[in-house]
Amino acid sequence: MGRVTVVGSINMDVVTTAARLPRIGETVIGSTVQLLPGGKGANQAIAAARMGAATSMIGSVGADEFGSQMTNFLRAQGVETARIQADPTCATGVAVVIVQAGGDNAILVVPGANQRLAAADVLEELGGPGDVVVGQLEVPEAVVAAAFAAAKRSGVTTVLNAAPAGPVSAELLADSDVLIVNETELATLAGWDELAAEDVEPAARQLRRRADAIIVVTLGARGSLVIVDDRAVEIAARATAVVDTTGAGDCFVGALAADLAAGAPVERAILTATAAASLCVGRSGAGVAMPNRTEVDALLGEASPREAHRPNLDPNGTGG
């Protein structure tokens, strides 16, 4: 079984709840507030570790109480923390999360020490064939690009969660074996102003930089679409009562990486990730909401992915 290494952000989440999100200039009275572990990188590392993968984290925190709490929490979840640095010159990253009734949220991130992570910090051994390196965009893109370039030289599988939405260099996309985006991120990367349901597949195909690259588009309650080889495969979502969607995307990424490190084919890994995310949204918080392998295995059924019946498109085409 391979190892998962996550290069990414570590934040303390200030999670508040309210009946609805405030409009610009408006004050809304909230109901609860909690300090919870978060950051896309940390969440994904926790998700992978709880799914049984040997997992390590490369990141940066401040030399402050939040930094100590986050490092200790990651270690308690089974994540190797030797390559988390404590920067005495700035604070640990913080995310302010507002969760409204129904589970939807708005998030403001202050990166802090996450922006101090440098390319030199990721150039040590990242593993070999069978291992997986995961990156996102809450740390400088140059850091993720350096890690992926080093990983490709060693035969490591690379998984890029291109979030938050923003431009991504052609070099980083070319070094990404698996690209995971939601619809907003897909539209941004593909240069589309808006995406209708029928636009998702052609836009996803537009992002492929190699014939063997895999594109995964998460579609919320509609499930996900994966472009693998020359096929478009739809994975249905699981019906669940939504409490908080904050960490669901990170849960999906971490669980998928764990299954890939265990040798599962990508379509099976997406079924696993879908089940894990459905459990995550039924709980409050991000890092603390990640399910374990036993819970996910108990939920998984016999459903198989089905190929999307859509017009044939050139896998490297631009779509409409």
Side-chain angles (χ1 to χ4, degrees):
M1 183 170 180
R3 183 175 191 85
V4 175
T5 299
V6 179
V7 179
S9 58
I10 302 170
N11 294 330
M12 182 62 76
D13 288 353
V14 182
V15 181
T16 63
T17 58
R20 60 178 177 81
L21 303 178
R23 295 184 289 270
I24 294 174
E26 180 186 24
T27 298
V28 171
I29 303 301
S31 51
T32 65
V33 61
Q34 295 176 285
L35 292 177
L36 296 172
K40 296 190 72 63
N43 293 340
Q44 291 167 10
I46 293 165
R50 288 191 175 175
M51 289 296 292
T55 305
S56 59
M57 178 86 208
I58 300 177
S60 180
V61 296
D64 51 26
E65 185 60 27
F66 281 172
S68 296
Q69 290 175 4
M70 284 301 306
T71 302
N72 290 336
F73 181 78
L74 283 161
R75 191 178 300 121
Q77 308 312 305
V79 177
E80 168 58 53
T81 61
R83 296 177 69 178
I84 296 176
Q85 61 189 29
D87 190 321
T89 66
C90 60
T92 298
V94 172
V96 180
V97 184
I98 305 174
V99 182
Q100 70 177 4
D104 289 332
N105 61 66
I107 304 174
L108 172 68
V109 176
V110 181
N114 291 305
Q115 291 299 307
R116 300 301 180 93
L117 196 63
D121 300 321
V122 301
L123 296 182
E124 297 176 23
E125 178 62 40
L126 291 172
D131 295 328
V132 177
V133 169
V134 179
Q136 341 73 38
L137 302 177
E138 285 188 337
V139 296
E141 183 189 319
V143 176
V144 181
F148 277 30
K152 295 306 297 173
R153 290 192 294 270
S154 300
V156 175
T157 297
T158 53
V159 177
L160 177 64
N161 176 212
V168 177
S169 69
E171 292 78 12
L172 179 53
L173 288 176
D175 279 338
S176 301
D177 296 315
V178 182
L179 174 66
I180 303 175
V181 291
N182 63 21
E183 290 175 275
T184 299
E185 295 147 5
L186 172 62
T188 298
L189 287 180
W192 293 47
D193 292 332
E194 296 182 3
L195 285 179
E198 62 270 19
D199 298 328
V200 171
E201 183 184 333
R205 289 185 183 275
Q206 185 177 331
L207 298 183
R208 299 184 86 195
R209 295 298 185 269
R210 308 193 321 255
D212 61 344
I214 296 167
I215 312 295
V216 180
V217 184
T218 57
L219 303 170
R222 287 156 39 220
S224 58
L225 176 76
V226 56
I227 307 296
V228 55
D229 300 324
D230 193 26
R231 296 175 296 130
V233 181
E234 294 178 341
I235 309 291
R238 288 177 172 271
T240 188
V242 176
V243 173
D244 182 0
T245 62
T246 304
D250 298 332
C251 180
F252 184 97
V253 173
L256 185 145
D259 251 30
L260 292 179
V266 68
E267 292 165 34
R268 175 63 188 181
I270 294 174
L271 287 174
T272 299
T274 300
S278 74
L279 291 169
C280 181
V281 299
R283 305 167 179 176
S284 295
V288 295
M290 303 300 164
N292 61 41
R293 173 66 72 174
T294 300
E295 293 173 308
V296 173
D297 285 349
L299 182 61
L300 283 170
E302 298 299 320
S304 298
R306 59 186 177 88
E307 291 197 10
H309 295 291
R310 303 188 181 192
N312 290 328
L313 296 171
D314 181 339
N316 298 309
T318 59

